Amino acid sequence: MIERYTLPEMGRIWSQEHKYELWCRVETLVLEAHAAAGTVPADAVGPVRAAPPPTPEAVAAAEAVTDHDVIAFLTAWADNTVPRSAAAFVHYGLTSSDLLDTALAVTLTEASDLLITRATALVAALREHGLAHRDTIRAGRTHGIHAEPDVWGHRVADFAFAVARCRDRLRHARESVAVGKLSGPVGTYSNIDPAIEARVLPELGLRPADVATQVVFRDGIAEWVSVLAMLATACDAIALEVRHGQRTEVRELAEAFSAGQKGSSAMPHKRNPIRSERICGLARVVRGYVVPVMEGMALWHERDISHSSVERVALPDAAIATDYLLHLTTGVITGLRVDTARMRANLESTGGLIYTSSVLLDLVAGGMSREDAYTLVQAAAAASWDTGASFREALRKEASVAGQTLDEARLDEVFRPERYVERLGPVFTRLADLT
């Protein structure tokens, strides 16, 4: 991921420096376990443990010769080991993927923990914003068209629970990827005792794979990226709502616009929803990695490396982009400007058409057939829409033609927008309890 969208903590997790630190940690723990079991000389442990991780530059120089990343790492690390002979027992009984998959599992759990923290912060921001707007009347919309009265906090509550569910899915996915293997070239423990794996992996916060070949099967990683895509898409949905709300014709919502900020190089009046647009764009990037990573589940026999090149790009990119999306979406919500007066004005802009559903039901309750009531209300709505007359006045005319008497006192209640949201109390009780 480019630096523009990389936050420091997540960037550090996926850095080359951190990768080699983890590789050193895995190899050192294996060496210590071997020494404790009497498999290798105990005096090899101290020098290896004291050897600093190789720099990315040193590994790259070695890889230019070996054309093999793990051998290059082992060579560069051995160069840092005093005496160098102690390094002979590093990687004892292992194959490259024992190191790669186990260290990757640690990286994925670290990234998950940061993403879970960010998602929880977004849930909190949405919860507080939703509760603050539990009484903010607005037009509910379906197909982009006014439907019935709603409150802005209701829409926000839906987003809050969606993000919370995705966050909880990530917790499960974290467990799915917290799996390592230290079982040798094709996973048969031919040159390493399973007791080494059983000892080392818990120290890394991992569990041994139930079965592994040369690699851990990639279903857990595919699940993890899929959940990141869902989380990114939840952010996408929030941002899309803000973008619609900030359109000039709607003007109900607006991203924060700071002093000195510019919206356009040509049009000084512009205040564009650039953060929300960025969120929607980057969510596409995260979704785009799901299929390539999932295809890593199907490998030739005990292993090929067709998954490797994909994961080197897709996993850090997906994690870094999702981290940035969560951070950006939280900022959009905490700084969001809600024009409550404009919401009310938009609700009233159709002259009462937004109340047709309840008028229909009220006429049916008064004794009309549903078919006749629907015909009457639809005719009145069409007249109101076409002429700009108030829906209530058009309704009176259509009722008169049909020989129907309207209960004006009852219509007063039907045309009161607050009555449509009176039963939302339990929703906001659940929202208040959301963590």
Side-chain angles (χ1 to χ4, degrees):
M1 181 53 63
I2 63 174
E3 185 177 352
R4 181 182 182 90
Y5 304 130
T6 303
L7 298 176
E9 291 176 273
M10 187 63 80
R12 166 64 183 164
I13 287 173
W14 291 99
S15 68
Q16 291 290 94
E17 291 83 359
H18 188 56
K19 180 174 76 171
Y20 296 139
E21 289 169 0
L22 289 180
W23 286 14
C24 288
R25 184 181 175 200
V26 172
E27 293 283 8
T28 300
L29 288 172
V30 171
L31 182 64
E32 290 172 349
H34 275 309
T39 312
V40 304
D43 59 5
V45 173
V48 170
R49 189 190 293 129
T55 64
E57 293 76 14
V59 176
E63 190 173 357
V65 177
T66 64
D67 202 21
H68 192 289
D69 58 345
V70 172
I71 294 175
F73 160 76
L74 294 171
T75 299
W77 194 26
D79 290 341
N80 292 347
T81 306
V82 181
R84 199 178 194 281
S85 58
F89 297 99
V90 172
H91 206 64
Y92 193 86
L94 300 182
T95 190
S96 295
S97 286
D98 288 324
L99 175 60
L100 294 170
D101 280 6
T102 298
L104 175 60
V106 176
T107 302
L108 293 173
T109 60
E110 291 177 342
S112 297
D113 290 339
L114 182 51
L115 291 170
I116 289 166
T117 298
R118 290 226 190 267
T120 299
L122 177 55
V123 170
L126 289 164
R127 180 187 65 237
E128 297 310 308
H129 188 82
L131 291 172
H133 289 281
R134 63 182 299 164
D135 297 319
T136 301
I137 292 286
R138 70 191 285 263
R141 296 174 173 90
T142 59
H143 307 276
I145 307 301
H146 285 196
E148 280 192 355
D150 196 359
V151 289
W152 172 235
H154 181 209
R155 182 65 169 137
V156 176
D158 196 20
F159 292 140
F161 278 96
V163 174
R165 288 191 297 271
C166 290
R167 185 261 326 266
D168 294 343
R169 291 185 186 104
L170 182 55
R171 287 172 172 156
H172 181 274
R174 183 195 186 283
E175 297 306 309
S176 297
V177 295
V179 177
K181 58 93 64 179
L182 300 170
S183 51
V186 293
T188 60
Y189 301 96
S190 56
N191 294 308
I192 188 169
D193 193 310
I196 301 296
E197 181 182 73
R199 170 176 169 164
V200 169
L201 293 185
E203 295 188 58
L204 295 166
L206 309 177
R207 67 183 185 282
D210 296 320
V211 178
T213 58
Q214 190 171 79
V215 295
V216 174
F217 200 81
R218 311 323 261 188
D219 57 318
I221 293 176
E223 176 189 353
W224 189 80
V225 173
S226 298
V227 170
L228 262 57
M230 294 178 70
L231 192 52
T233 305
C235 294
D236 187 356
I238 295 166
L240 188 62
E241 187 74 22
V242 173
R243 291 171 64 191
H244 281 312
Q246 193 161 337
R247 286 182 298 137
T248 305
E249 295 80 4
V250 179
R251 215 165 69 246
E252 295 179 355
L253 305 172
E255 292 181 2
F257 197 84
S258 60
Q261 185 175 342
K262 304 294 187 291
S264 167
S265 63
M267 297 169 283
H269 73 280
K270 293 296 291 295
R271 294 189 178 191
N272 304 325
I274 57 170
R275 297 171 188 84
S276 296
E277 290 173 341
R278 195 181 311 153
I279 290 164
C280 292
L282 286 175
R284 299 170 190 168
V285 173
V286 180
R287 287 193 293 270
Y289 283 127
V290 172
V291 171
V293 170
M294 191 172 292
E295 289 176 345
M297 293 169 60
L299 302 177
W300 286 14
H301 306 298
E302 283 66 44
R303 183 219 183 186
D304 63 70
I305 61 168
S306 58
H307 66 289
S308 177
S309 54
V310 173
E311 291 175 4
R312 288 174 191 264
V313 175
L315 299 185
D317 267 18
I320 290 169
T322 303
D323 180 55
Y324 182 72
L325 283 170
L326 290 167
H327 168 76
L328 200 58
T329 307
T330 301
V332 166
I333 292 299
T334 56
L336 190 64
R337 298 175 182 178
V338 180
D339 190 334
T340 58
R342 179 70 178 188
M343 285 183 170
R344 187 67 178 242
N346 282 343
L347 181 145
E348 296 171 351
S349 65
T350 59
L353 288 178
I354 201 165
Y355 305 116
T356 60
S357 59
S358 288
V359 172
L360 169 64
L361 295 179
D362 197 63
L363 292 175
V364 170
M368 290 185 71
S369 71
R370 182 176 179 86
E371 292 79 3
D372 289 344
Y374 197 102
T375 298
L376 190 156
V377 174
Q378 188 177 40
S384 176
W385 186 271
D386 292 340
T387 67
S390 77
F391 170 61
R392 189 161 177 174
E393 181 60 35
L395 185 65
R396 290 191 187 100
K397 291 181 180 179
E398 292 296 332
S400 178
V401 171
Q404 293 292 327
T405 301
L406 299 176
D407 184 337
E408 294 293 340
R410 177 61 187 160
L411 286 180
D412 287 341
E413 178 65 11
V414 169
F415 278 67
R416 185 174 65 88
E418 288 78 11
R419 70 177 293 273
Y420 293 79
V421 296
E422 288 173 346
R423 294 172 177 165
L424 283 176
V427 169
F428 290 104
T429 297
R430 292 192 292 272
L431 180 62
D433 293 337
L434 183 63
T435 58

